[in-house]
Amino acid sequence: MRYAALWLLPAAIAYAPINRRGPSRVIPRVLASQDTDSVQSNAPKMLKRVARQARPTVAIIGRPNVGKSTLVNRLCDAGRGGAIAVDEVGVTRDRVYQRAEWCGRVFDVVDTGGLLFDDEESDQFLAEIREQASLALRESCAVVVVVDGRTGIVRTDEDIAAFLRKWPSQIETVLAVNKCESPEREPEMVADFWPLGLGEPLPCSAIHGYGVAEVLDAVLPAVDNAIELRRQQIEQLDAQEAIPRINVALLGRPNVGKSSLMNRFLGPGEQRSIVSDVAGTTRDAVDAELDVDGAIFRFVDTAGVRRKARVKDGTETQMVGRALKAAKLADVVLLVVDATAEITDQDAMLAQRIADDGRACVVLANKWDIYEGKDEGSTREVLKVLRETLTAVSWAEVVFCSAETGQRCLKVYDAVKRARESHHHRVSTATLNEVIRDAMLWQPPPATAAGKNAGKVYFVSQTGIAPPTFVCMCNDPKAFPK
């Protein structure tokens, strides 16, 4: 007896008394939230943002291109898997968190974009980057100010020092003079930064690792104080029962509204990701957690994925790679498409990638508020186009929503829960074999071209979940077309 895929299993299970909703590989059914649903009766009753309070946070700030991301990777021993670090101004924009450990203490290090205070029309996102840095400071117990020892003190460094003086004194400030690779010039480099008034300048080299231990030692007192203050909270969290967590990744082409949806999911006024009409605004994979009726949703906003032929520079290659990796590691992938634009081959490629990775999926037709000529018929028409174009995930539930107005965004939580439940659903062996027996009687497998006996299925069993996987024992696998 050999193993073969069941060509007739989808049709057979459609008649079985089991849960047929959501992204099961063998249950091709599409759900949609229609325009006629004016009352959101199944909306979550409680939304609460989950703050990063389990571990202390150390913020890394400084002007552009002084080596902040390289220092973060060195502090966290992240290597190539850490923040994107290239010799290019403006690569980092959002807050990027990484886990660090030093002398038995575990804490988070948050990388921020380069700070500039003289806005020019040619410079984009400067105000948003400053806002992201401010948010990082508010949740940090210590801040490491990175300066460039080669160029010496510049006006922007003085502006950053004045910017930090506006913050409470309980935030410990450490001044790291980066790029000090020359022992002979080190005293001269360090002496230039005493006028900033941020404490003793510490020479270091993020690339070579020189002086990084001293920087970590300098932030330890603040980390210890934060750990002591949060000890009671950590003990309470450890005592609580395990809370279900759902990892959700937003995937799609550039400028379809992923970052806007991310901010909408986290609640009014929350700006976790920078949003603009410029394609490629989001670069790193940005994550945040939200408590929804007792279940923890971890949303990951990813960079827009363009066609492979259009990806040219090394930075975008890393952006796309991290987006696809985040989708592969997610429990549920939210495939975001633009309802006002034509569904492209790139959308279909991303859908196929989700199916190949075996991930649960919910399709979000965003910008539904500006779709022209909306009625019940147009909703069905758009749904039909989505099913015909995104064939790899034709089983996925479709939610017509709007990040701008919040229309039906609350329904996404329930859709994610249903997708995950279906992704982890198990069918008993007795039910499977009963369904297969009835299906074989209703539609026998075809005979082979050589005139041999038709295929026979002896036994069927589900061997895995996420995705649901089935194995059958048969007389000849070649008798069952793929």
Side-chain angles (χ1 to χ4, degrees), residues 21-163:
R21 299 179 299 176
S24 172
R25 289 256 180 129
V26 298
I27 307 169
R29 181 179 178 187
V30 177
L31 305 178
S33 298
Q34 301 292 337
D35 260 342
T36 56
D37 298 336
S38 58
V39 180
Q40 298 182 359
S41 58
N42 295 327
K45 299 179 178 60
M46 185 269 290
L47 301 176
K48 183 176 65 175
R49 173 70 188 276
V50 178
R52 293 178 178 269
Q53 298 298 323
R55 294 191 297 262
T57 302
V58 177
I60 309 295
I61 69 171
R63 61 185 177 88
N65 230 27
V66 293
K68 297 184 298 299
S69 297
T70 305
L71 181 61
V72 168
N73 292 338
R74 176 67 67 175
L75 293 174
C76 302
D77 195 21
R80 294 185 177 181
I84 298 176
V86 295
D87 189 13
E88 179 182 337
V89 176
V91 172
T92 304
R93 294 172 180 173
D94 298 299
R95 309 194 309 276
V96 181
Y97 293 82
Q98 294 191 55
R99 179 182 179 274
E101 183 175 358
W102 184 251
C103 294
R105 285 81 156 183
V106 180
F107 53 95
D108 286 333
V109 177
V110 52
D111 187 18
T112 61
L115 291 176
L116 290 174
F117 296 89
D118 294 332
D119 294 355
E120 298 180 2
E121 294 183 359
S122 59
D123 296 327
Q124 294 180 332
F125 312 124
L126 294 184
E128 290 84 353
I129 290 174
R130 288 196 295 269
E131 178 63 22
Q132 293 290 314
S134 299
L135 293 174
L137 288 173
R138 290 172 190 168
E139 61 186 11
S140 300
C141 64
V143 55
V144 178
V145 182
V146 184
V147 294
D148 190 339
R150 295 177 182 174
T151 60
I153 190 172
V154 297
R155 178 183 173 184
T156 307
D157 296 327
E158 297 175 346
D159 293 339
I160 293 174
F163 174 74

Side-chain angles (χ1 to χ4, degrees), residues 227-436:
I227 291 176
E228 186 63 29
L229 291 174
R230 297 170 185 172
R231 187 177 302 278
Q232 183 178 0
Q233 179 184 7
I234 294 174
E235 291 176 353
Q236 293 175 353
L237 291 174
D238 292 340
Q240 292 178 354
E241 295 181 356
I243 301 176
R245 292 179 178 269
I246 305 175
N247 293 321
V248 183
L250 288 87
L251 188 66
R253 296 184 292 109
N255 247 28
V256 294
K258 298 183 296 300
S259 297
S260 298
L261 283 169
M262 171 87 160
N263 294 334
R264 174 65 66 176
F265 293 150
L266 297 181
E270 180 66 30
Q271 294 294 322
R272 184 63 183 86
S273 299
I274 297 175
V275 178
S276 79
D277 293 333
V278 179
T281 300
T282 302
R283 296 192 169 185
D284 284 291
V286 181
D287 68 299
E289 292 185 342
L290 184 71
D291 188 336
V292 182
D293 291 342
I296 303 299
F297 284 69
R298 179 176 177 266
F299 289 100
V300 181
D301 182 21
T302 63
V305 181
R306 298 195 298 170
R307 292 182 180 179
K308 189 174 182 179
R310 297 183 179 180
V311 178
K312 297 180 180 179
D313 59 18
T315 301
E316 188 173 0
T317 301
Q318 295 185 55
M319 291 159 47
V320 171
R322 295 188 180 196
L324 297 177
K325 181 179 179 181
K328 186 175 183 178
L329 297 176
D331 296 318
V332 180
V333 179
L334 298 179
L335 179 58
V336 184
V337 298
D338 189 344
T340 63
E342 182 181 358
I343 306 301
T344 65
D345 293 339
Q346 181 66 8
D347 294 316
M349 187 278 294
L350 293 177
Q352 186 63 54
R353 183 64 178 257
I354 295 171
D356 292 342
D357 290 339
R359 299 298 89 199
C361 179
V362 176
V363 178
L364 301 185
N366 191 28
K367 305 182 183 180
W368 190 244
D369 57 315
I370 58 176
Y371 185 86
E372 297 182 357
K374 281 187 297 184
D375 54 30
E376 188 174 349
S378 63
T379 303
R380 288 196 298 266
E381 183 65 25
V382 173
L383 180 59
K384 180 181 178 182
V385 172
L386 289 173
R387 293 178 62 181
E388 293 176 349
T389 308
L390 309 178
T391 54
V393 293
S394 58
W395 35 259
E397 182 172 351
V398 179
V399 179
F400 296 93
C401 61
S402 168
E404 180 69 23
T405 64
Q407 181 184 19
R408 294 195 195 85
C409 285
L410 292 178
K411 292 190 175 184
V412 176
Y413 305 113
D414 286 335
V416 169
K417 288 181 180 179
R418 288 192 293 267
R420 186 178 184 276
E421 289 172 0
S422 296
H423 207 224
H424 289 74
H425 182 71
R426 280 194 176 274
V427 183
S428 67
T429 302
T431 301
L432 278 175
N433 285 276
E434 181 180 354
V435 171
I436 292 302

